[in-house]
């Protein structure tokens, strides 16, 4: 039973990853037979996995028409990033107060790893290191409920956060914003950490326009 559960979790993670990296694009139909062949399983575990992904908001299951990768409209995106920025802001405030010396070391190591990806100009590598960086901040809150809620929304927004990093200069800007956040947390300045993380995650104005343009380009490439 344990191995079945593990296999199911692995399948979910693999399909979730394909959505996050844009290999399965917003609005794309998810063919159960095709996915079953791709992963070497029957259609039953694929169907169960799609139901799990639907509960996470990554997939939409339509009666008699099958599943598609969930699409977020412009207004939904703004609203979700607005909530994401507040959750991350709260994480920053608590982490600045509660992080242990060991957790601060892990945060600095994650920050250093982001710099290496930036220096190599590898957006994909930076994206994964960026996830580790944010996870280090979440862990520092010592509030499991907050961690779970923040992580769930982060996962829902993964495809869009990833796309943002492909916009010109966003890698360098993201890293410099991290720099300020790290310093605020190490200094124990919760209010500064909160403000900087809110600004780091919030998309508005030009950043939102850039994200929409990237998304439009992604959909054209898929056509």
């Amino acid at each position: 039973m344990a191995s079945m559960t593990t296999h199911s979790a692995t399948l979910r993670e693999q399909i979730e990853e394909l959505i996050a990296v844009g290999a399965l694009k917003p609005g794309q139909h998810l063919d159960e037979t095709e996915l079953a062949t791709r992963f070497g399983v029957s259609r039953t575990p694929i169907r169960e996995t799609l139901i799990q992904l639907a509960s996470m908001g990554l997939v939409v299951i339509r009666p008699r028409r099958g599943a598609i990768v969930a699409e977020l409209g412009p207004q939904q995106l703004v609203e979700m990033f607005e909530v994401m920025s507040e959750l991350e802001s709260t994480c920053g405030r608590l982490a600045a107060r509660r992080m242990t010396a060991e957790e601060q070391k892990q945060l600095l190591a994650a920050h250093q790893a982001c710099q290496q990806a930036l220096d190599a100009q590898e957006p994909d590598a930076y994206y994964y290191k960026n996830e580790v960086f944010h996870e280090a901040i979440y862990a520092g809150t010592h509030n499991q409920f907050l961690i779970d809620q923040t992580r769930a929304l982060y996962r829902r927004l993964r495809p869009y956060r990833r796309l943002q990093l492909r916009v010109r200069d966003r890698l360098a800007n993201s890293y410099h914003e991290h720099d300020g956040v790290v310093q605020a947390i190490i200094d124990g300045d919760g209010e500064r950490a909160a403000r900087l993380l809110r600004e780091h995650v919030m998309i508005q104005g030009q950043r939102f326009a850039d994200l929409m343009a990237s998304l439009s380009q992604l959909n054209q490439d898929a056509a």
Side-chain angles (χ1 to χ4, degrees), residues 163-171 207 210-211 214:
L163 262 183
Q164 276 196 100
L165 294 174
R166 299 191 168 277
V167 172
R168 190 168 63 85
D169 296 335
R170 184 62 202 143
L171 278 193
R207 275 180 63 189
D210 288 343
L211 176 57
S214 298

Side-chain angles (χ1 to χ4, degrees), residues 84-100:
M84 189 78 228
S85 69
E86 292 301 331
L87 285 173
E88 295 244 11
S89 176
T90 303
C91 288
R93 181 183 293 108
L94 294 180
R97 295 211 309 253
R98 299 177 178 176
M99 253 191 186
T100 64

Side-chain angles (χ1 to χ4, degrees), residues 2-179:
S3 83
M4 281 289 290
T5 309
T6 306
H7 186 68
S8 168
T10 304
L11 194 57
R12 192 200 71 232
E13 284 164 12
Q14 287 175 317
I15 296 177
E16 185 185 340
E17 200 59 31
L18 291 174
I19 293 170
V21 302
L24 295 173
K25 297 173 173 57
Q28 185 171 334
H29 175 66
L30 297 167
D31 186 288
E32 287 180 12
T33 307
E34 200 177 284
L35 288 169
T37 304
R38 182 174 193 162
F39 292 105
V41 296
S42 69
R43 286 178 61 181
T44 302
I46 292 293
R47 191 172 300 124
E48 288 168 357
T49 298
L50 293 179
I51 290 168
Q52 286 177 0
L53 290 168
S55 74
M56 293 163 61
L58 290 169
V59 162
V60 174
I61 297 174
R62 306 163 304 171
R64 296 180 300 281
R65 287 189 297 157
I68 61 166
V69 178
E71 293 179 276
L72 290 178
Q75 185 61 29
Q76 274 181 301
L77 261 181
V78 168
E79 289 172 359
M80 290 173 85
F81 268 102
E82 196 168 60
V83 174
M84 189 78 228
S85 69
E86 292 301 331
L87 285 173
E88 295 244 11
S89 176
T90 303
C91 288
R93 181 183 293 108
L94 294 180
R97 295 211 309 253
R98 299 177 178 176
M99 253 191 186
T100 64
E102 183 55 40
E103 285 168 339
Q104 287 183 353
K105 260 195 250 178
Q106 288 168 4
L107 178 64
L108 286 166
H111 186 42
Q112 180 63 37
C114 285
Q115 181 173 23
Q116 289 164 359
L118 169 64
D119 291 345
Q121 280 299 298
E122 293 177 352
D124 290 347
Y126 185 92
Y127 166 76
Y128 289 111
K129 304 302 181 190
N130 181 56
E131 280 199 331
V132 174
F133 176 83
H134 284 271
E135 279 283 344
I137 295 172
Y138 305 162
T141 67
H142 297 254
N143 181 323
Q144 193 56 49
F145 182 76
L146 177 61
I147 292 168
D148 292 344
Q149 297 302 307
T150 308
R151 193 180 281 151
L153 188 51
Y154 191 110
R155 285 166 87 164
R156 182 66 188 84
L157 287 170
R158 279 179 87 205
Y160 304 93
R161 290 184 80 143
R162 186 186 181 94
L163 262 183
Q164 276 196 100
L165 294 174
R166 299 191 168 277
V167 172
R168 190 168 63 85
D169 296 335
R170 184 62 202 143
L171 278 193
N173 290 338
S174 172
Y175 176 79
H176 291 308
E177 289 163 15
H178 282 189
D179 219 29

